[in-house]
Amino acid sequence: MLSIATINVQNKYKIKNYNGTNHGDNHIQMLLDLINKYHIEILGLQEVNYKYKEQLEKKLGGSFTYYGKFRYPLNCITKNIYPFSVFNESVPIITNQEVLDKETQVLPWISSYVPRIVTIMKIKTKEVGTIVVLNTHLDYLKNGTKVKQLKKLLNIIQKISWPIILMGDFNMTVKNKDFLSFIDTLKDLNIKHVDINEATFKYSKTPRAIDHIFLSNCFNVEKVLLDKNPAYLTFSDHYPVILKLSLGFDRK
């Protein structure tokens, strides 16, 4: 069984120097508690700022690999000067499995002003062998920009020969015709969309997910979980999405 998750940890940019703690709430400890509770082996995060990253890496320990570049190159300006310091987020992948390769690619973003990226990690898992995990956070303003970003993701995926896990905050629901087209195109590549059938954004007006996970058909989904623990009220404005996977017979 392989346990994976995607969690938008909410960059609380209105809180000056937000580093994962606020008013006595330790959001990084909450994240570690989730990892331990569900024995998460592969985790994709979104909206991780630099100070949050620093604290999280300190707490993770040596059994986990943390990787994810930022939207802008890290320097004095992007670490310390508003607005770069506030909006310079990353979409890291964290795993306790063997990492074979890793990279960050930029997605189309110019028309929406804020860079968007995808983190890609090649992993050798104990349960299913070598896989490639992609984690991203798409634009939230312009649908046309999202479509361009989906096309870039598709271009990347088409060049990968290993089983794939694609996860992240897509800022799109299954009611979006362009997103449905993306789902159908991935089906032709033997990659399926996991039906979550619940709102993953806490303040959503519709019962539909904007956080999504796609899997190569060689994976069987044994369980889909949304952790709605009220103790995590301040943790994020998204619900953590956790999957338990097993390996099927089709590795095409």
PDB file of all heavy atoms in Angstrom, residues 7-19:
ATOM      1  N   ILE A   7      -1.732  18.774  -0.306  1.00  0.00           N
ATOM      2  CA  ILE A   7      -2.235  19.712   0.694  1.00  0.00           C
ATOM      3  C   ILE A   7      -1.799  21.129   0.329  1.00  0.00           C
ATOM      4  O   ILE A   7      -0.607  21.417   0.238  1.00  0.00           O
ATOM      5  CB  ILE A   7      -1.706  19.391   2.114  1.00  0.00           C
ATOM      6  CG1 ILE A   7      -1.996  17.931   2.496  1.00  0.00           C
ATOM      7  CG2 ILE A   7      -2.324  20.338   3.140  1.00  0.00           C
ATOM      8  CD1 ILE A   7      -1.372  17.514   3.818  1.00  0.00           C
ATOM      9  N   ASN A   8      -2.762  22.013   0.127  1.00  0.00           N
ATOM     10  CA  ASN A   8      -2.470  23.429   0.013  1.00  0.00           C
ATOM     11  C   ASN A   8      -2.419  23.977   1.444  1.00  0.00           C
ATOM     12  O   ASN A   8      -3.440  24.035   2.131  1.00  0.00           O
ATOM     13  CB  ASN A   8      -3.553  24.141  -0.804  1.00  0.00           C
ATOM     14  CG  ASN A   8      -3.252  25.620  -1.005  1.00  0.00           C
ATOM     15  OD1 ASN A   8      -2.762  26.292  -0.119  1.00  0.00           O
ATOM     16  ND2 ASN A   8      -3.579  26.115  -2.190  1.00  0.00           N
ATOM     17  N   VAL A   9      -1.228  24.369   1.886  1.00  0.00           N
ATOM     18  CA  VAL A   9      -1.061  24.760   3.288  1.00  0.00           C
ATOM     19  C   VAL A   9      -1.400  26.232   3.547  1.00  0.00           C
ATOM     20  O   VAL A   9      -1.264  26.709   4.670  1.00  0.00           O
ATOM     21  CB  VAL A   9       0.367  24.455   3.788  1.00  0.00           C
ATOM     22  CG1 VAL A   9       0.612  22.959   3.809  1.00  0.00           C
ATOM     23  CG2 VAL A   9       1.423  25.155   2.937  1.00  0.00           C
ATOM     24  N   GLN A  10      -1.827  26.948   2.529  1.00  0.00           N
ATOM     25  CA  GLN A  10      -2.297  28.333   2.615  1.00  0.00           C
ATOM     26  C   GLN A  10      -1.200  29.290   3.066  1.00  0.00           C
ATOM     27  O   GLN A  10      -0.881  29.392   4.259  1.00  0.00           O
ATOM     28  CB  GLN A  10      -3.500  28.474   3.559  1.00  0.00           C
ATOM     29  CG  GLN A  10      -4.118  29.862   3.508  1.00  0.00           C
ATOM     30  CD  GLN A  10      -5.252  30.058   4.500  1.00  0.00           C
ATOM     31  OE1 GLN A  10      -5.512  29.205   5.343  1.00  0.00           O
ATOM     32  NE2 GLN A  10      -5.942  31.173   4.392  1.00  0.00           N
ATOM     33  N   ASN A  11      -0.653  29.999   2.116  1.00  0.00           N
ATOM     34  CA  ASN A  11       0.296  31.070   2.412  1.00  0.00           C
ATOM     35  C   ASN A  11      -0.469  32.237   3.033  1.00  0.00           C
ATOM     36  O   ASN A  11      -1.171  32.968   2.348  1.00  0.00           O
ATOM     37  CB  ASN A  11       0.995  31.521   1.129  1.00  0.00           C
ATOM     38  CG  ASN A  11       1.969  32.665   1.366  1.00  0.00           C
ATOM     39  OD1 ASN A  11       2.217  33.055   2.490  1.00  0.00           O
ATOM     40  ND2 ASN A  11       2.516  33.188   0.289  1.00  0.00           N
ATOM     41  N   LYS A  12      -0.342  32.403   4.327  1.00  0.00           N
ATOM     42  CA  LYS A  12      -1.101  33.440   5.037  1.00  0.00           C
ATOM     43  C   LYS A  12      -0.348  34.772   4.925  1.00  0.00           C
ATOM     44  O   LYS A  12       0.236  35.272   5.894  1.00  0.00           O
ATOM     45  CB  LYS A  12      -1.331  32.998   6.473  1.00  0.00           C
ATOM     46  CG  LYS A  12      -2.143  31.693   6.543  1.00  0.00           C
ATOM     47  CD  LYS A  12      -2.171  31.125   7.934  1.00  0.00           C
ATOM     48  CE  LYS A  12      -2.966  29.838   7.996  1.00  0.00           C
ATOM     49  NZ  LYS A  12      -2.441  28.755   7.159  1.00  0.00           N
ATOM     50  N   TYR A  13      -0.378  35.324   3.712  1.00  0.00           N
ATOM     51  CA  TYR A  13       0.458  36.480   3.384  1.00  0.00           C
ATOM     52  C   TYR A  13       0.079  37.734   4.160  1.00  0.00           C
ATOM     53  O   TYR A  13       0.869  38.676   4.256  1.00  0.00           O
ATOM     54  CB  TYR A  13       0.411  36.752   1.882  1.00  0.00           C
ATOM     55  CG  TYR A  13      -0.957  37.073   1.342  1.00  0.00           C
ATOM     56  CD1 TYR A  13      -1.415  38.383   1.307  1.00  0.00           C
ATOM     57  CD2 TYR A  13      -1.795  36.060   0.870  1.00  0.00           C
ATOM     58  CE1 TYR A  13      -2.665  38.682   0.816  1.00  0.00           C
ATOM     59  CE2 TYR A  13      -3.049  36.354   0.383  1.00  0.00           C
ATOM     60  CZ  TYR A  13      -3.486  37.662   0.356  1.00  0.00           C
ATOM     61  OH  TYR A  13      -4.736  37.950  -0.116  1.00  0.00           O
ATOM     62  N   LYS A  14      -1.120  37.773   4.735  1.00  0.00           N
ATOM     63  CA  LYS A  14      -1.518  38.932   5.524  1.00  0.00           C
ATOM     64  C   LYS A  14      -0.873  38.940   6.908  1.00  0.00           C
ATOM     65  O   LYS A  14      -0.922  39.947   7.615  1.00  0.00           O
ATOM     66  CB  LYS A  14      -3.048  38.995   5.644  1.00  0.00           C
ATOM     67  CG  LYS A  14      -3.746  39.253   4.319  1.00  0.00           C
ATOM     68  CD  LYS A  14      -5.251  39.365   4.492  1.00  0.00           C
ATOM     69  CE  LYS A  14      -5.932  39.635   3.154  1.00  0.00           C
ATOM     70  NZ  LYS A  14      -7.409  39.727   3.296  1.00  0.00           N
ATOM     71  N   ILE A  15      -0.299  37.798   7.273  1.00  0.00           N
ATOM     72  CA  ILE A  15       0.418  37.714   8.544  1.00  0.00           C
ATOM     73  C   ILE A  15       1.887  37.993   8.280  1.00  0.00           C
ATOM     74  O   ILE A  15       2.553  37.256   7.558  1.00  0.00           O
ATOM     75  CB  ILE A  15       0.253  36.312   9.178  1.00  0.00           C
ATOM     76  CG1 ILE A  15      -1.225  36.020   9.411  1.00  0.00           C
ATOM     77  CG2 ILE A  15       1.053  36.214  10.472  1.00  0.00           C
ATOM     78  CD1 ILE A  15      -1.496  34.595   9.856  1.00  0.00           C
ATOM     79  N   LYS A  16       2.407  39.063   8.835  1.00  0.00           N
ATOM     80  CA  LYS A  16       3.788  39.467   8.581  1.00  0.00           C
ATOM     81  C   LYS A  16       4.749  38.377   9.051  1.00  0.00           C
ATOM     82  O   LYS A  16       4.635  37.854  10.148  1.00  0.00           O
ATOM     83  CB  LYS A  16       4.102  40.783   9.298  1.00  0.00           C
ATOM     84  CG  LYS A  16       5.460  41.357   8.927  1.00  0.00           C
ATOM     85  CD  LYS A  16       5.687  42.721   9.576  1.00  0.00           C
ATOM     86  CE  LYS A  16       7.041  43.277   9.172  1.00  0.00           C
ATOM     87  NZ  LYS A  16       7.293  44.608   9.785  1.00  0.00           N
ATOM     88  N   ASN A  17       5.673  38.019   8.157  1.00  0.00           N
ATOM     89  CA  ASN A  17       6.700  37.012   8.458  1.00  0.00           C
ATOM     90  C   ASN A  17       6.111  35.653   8.836  1.00  0.00           C
ATOM     91  O   ASN A  17       6.627  34.960   9.705  1.00  0.00           O
ATOM     92  CB  ASN A  17       7.627  37.505   9.580  1.00  0.00           C
ATOM     93  CG  ASN A  17       8.407  38.731   9.175  1.00  0.00           C
ATOM     94  OD1 ASN A  17       8.858  38.843   8.043  1.00  0.00           O
ATOM     95  ND2 ASN A  17       8.554  39.672  10.104  1.00  0.00           N
ATOM     96  N   TYR A  18       5.022  35.292   8.168  1.00  0.00           N
ATOM     97  CA  TYR A  18       4.392  33.999   8.474  1.00  0.00           C
ATOM     98  C   TYR A  18       5.378  32.857   8.235  1.00  0.00           C
ATOM     99  O   TYR A  18       5.954  32.730   7.161  1.00  0.00           O
ATOM    100  CB  TYR A  18       3.150  33.790   7.616  1.00  0.00           C
ATOM    101  CG  TYR A  18       2.511  32.436   7.815  1.00  0.00           C
ATOM    102  CD1 TYR A  18       1.961  32.099   9.043  1.00  0.00           C
ATOM    103  CD2 TYR A  18       2.480  31.501   6.786  1.00  0.00           C
ATOM    104  CE1 TYR A  18       1.382  30.853   9.246  1.00  0.00           C
ATOM    105  CE2 TYR A  18       1.908  30.257   6.975  1.00  0.00           C
ATOM    106  CZ  TYR A  18       1.361  29.937   8.210  1.00  0.00           C
ATOM    107  OH  TYR A  18       0.807  28.696   8.406  1.00  0.00           O
ATOM    108  N   ASN A  19       5.568  32.013   9.259  1.00  0.00           N
ATOM    109  CA  ASN A  19       6.526  30.909   9.165  1.00  0.00           C
ATOM    110  C   ASN A  19       5.943  29.581   9.629  1.00  0.00           C
ATOM    111  O   ASN A  19       6.673  28.668  10.006  1.00  0.00           O
ATOM    112  CB  ASN A  19       7.776  31.239   9.984  1.00  0.00           C
ATOM    113  CG  ASN A  19       7.474  31.327  11.478  1.00  0.00           C
ATOM    114  OD1 ASN A  19       6.305  31.275  11.888  1.00  0.00           O
ATOM    115  ND2 ASN A  19       8.501  31.472  12.295  1.00  0.00           N
TER     116      ASN A  19
END
